[in-house]
Amino acid sequence: MRTSPFTEEHEQLRAAIRRFVTDELAPHAEAWEQAGWIDDWVWPRMGELGYLGLAVPPEYGGQGADYWATVVLAEELPRCGSGSLPMAIGVQTDMATPPILKFGTEEQKQAYLAPAVRGEKVAAIGISEPEAGSDVRAIRTRARREGSDWIIDGAKLYITNGLRADFVTMVVRTAAADSDDPWSGISLFLVDTDLPGFEVARKLDKVGMRASDTALIHLDGVRVPGEALLGVEGQGFKQIMWQLQGERLIGAIGGVAAAQLMFDRALAYTREREAFGRPIARFQATRHRLVDMATDIEQVRQLVYDACDRWNRGEYAVTEIAMCKLAAAQMSFRVADEALQLHGGYGYSREFPVERAWRDARLARVGGGSDEVQREIISKLLGL
Ligand SMILES: Cc1cc2nc3c(=O)[nH]c(=O)nc-3n(C[C@H](O)[C@H](O)[C@H](O)COP(=O)(O)OP(=O)(O)OC[C@H]3O[C@@H](n4cnc5c(N)ncnc54)[C@H](O)[C@@H]3O)c2cc1C
């Protein structure tokens, strides 16, 4: 049997995060869902507690912990009762800022990473566009040089934290691809959101993740200095593919955690709810359904933990991470759907948390690279 990857220290961290989530986040989840907005204080508060920089080195204000500490945070945040919160925080900690640590200059780390770790700056990641999501190479947002500056024009769509972000880690085309390297010509930029020409055109209305703000952003002649370029000019595609590994893994961890919560709720409900003179958990059909859910969750958890172990050891496990992303996205929605079914009519009512989890879970099959895109990645890497 696999030994637990979590040390005593991780378990202490888990207990502290769980207290924070239960006492300080969960009481607000309903109001955030209604308002379509997570209160701003969450960022500085989580920064103060050290939760926005668990894996960041201490010189940038982080805790210098291993990846398993990040896993603990991702497993605990869904307990707040809104999938939007883990998503918003995950964008900050595991999507928009890791490229700064990996590819950034010392100045960029001090100017963007350190304040993001403190919760003073909110970060967003800007890849998708109105005309390009799965096909990142088809992006149309462009930057052209003007002296030592760059001028950015284009649009970014579905940007999580887009209404509140102080900066966006953005994927931009800076040149046509070389004929010998189809992945070249794309670069990453750190774009401040208060620059002239940067405009939040619209807040998007969504099926789920309703507390999370999602924006359509227009960029009209946004002038950024040469120092806004993140990493190597023209190598942004490869850099963002590295970023997507962390994004997909954190999403998969959260998906397993959310599914576990759904299972726990369904189990408790079916033990309480009676039909035909007995708790519905005592019907064989219900028991088998619960067993299938538990088995589904456990097998994906082990797949995800294996990928976490590889990531923690610095392995670039693209196939395994794509498998995790695919398996977790499908499993978490399946489990949420079964949990809704087991709640009967109450499952479909807005008064029980199961319907929100069901709506929230649906995103994972699309966001961060759809099921189909994961299958394409896996099939290429398997040589199919
Ligand atoms: C709530 C939400 C939050 C998001 N947050 C962010 C964010 O913060 N930053 C960001 O950059 N993006 C974000 N996204 C965008 C998300 O990553 C994209 O929606 C996703 O990558 C899919 O792109 P698309 O919507 O353009 O779909 P498309 O690429 O148009 O795909 C449409 C359909 O075609 C399928 N398809 C595409 N290519 C293939 C293929 N080769 N083979 C088979 N089928 C294929 C897809 O799987 C999908 O089913 C968010 C999206 C949502 C809904």
Side-chain angles (χ1 to χ4, degrees), residues 87 91 95 124-136 156-162 169 171 204 206 208-209 212-214 244 247-248 363 365-374 376 380:
M87 180 165 83
V91 164
M95 303 182 202
I125 180 90
I127 307 171
S128 308
E129 300 188 355
E131 313 290 339
S134 306
D135 184 5
V136 176
K156 292 288 169 186
L157 185 62
Y158 308 121
I159 304 308
T160 302
N161 297 342
T169 303
V171 185
L204 304 177
K206 312 185 296 293
M209 300 292 193
S212 161
D213 55 294
T214 314
L244 282 171
E247 171 167 344
R248 288 169 183 161
L363 173 62
R365 294 193 52 205
V366 173
S370 64
D371 287 0
E372 293 75 18
V373 165
Q374 303 317 305
E376 281 301 291
K380 267 191 203 117

Side-chain angles (χ1 to χ4, degrees), residues 212-265:
S212 161
D213 55 294
T214 314
L216 166 63
I217 289 167
H218 284 165
L219 299 123
D220 184 11
V222 178
R223 179 182 290 272
V224 297
E227 301 82 61
L229 180 77
L230 177 62
V232 181
E233 182 183 338
Q235 294 301 300
F237 186 85
K238 286 167 195 155
Q239 293 168 347
I240 208 65
M241 286 304 126
W242 174 83
Q243 178 277 346
L244 282 171
Q245 305 314 309
E247 171 167 344
R248 288 169 183 161
L249 195 50
I250 202 78
I253 300 161
V256 174
Q260 184 67 54
L261 289 173
M262 280 301 90
F263 173 80
D264 294 344
R265 284 212 180 96

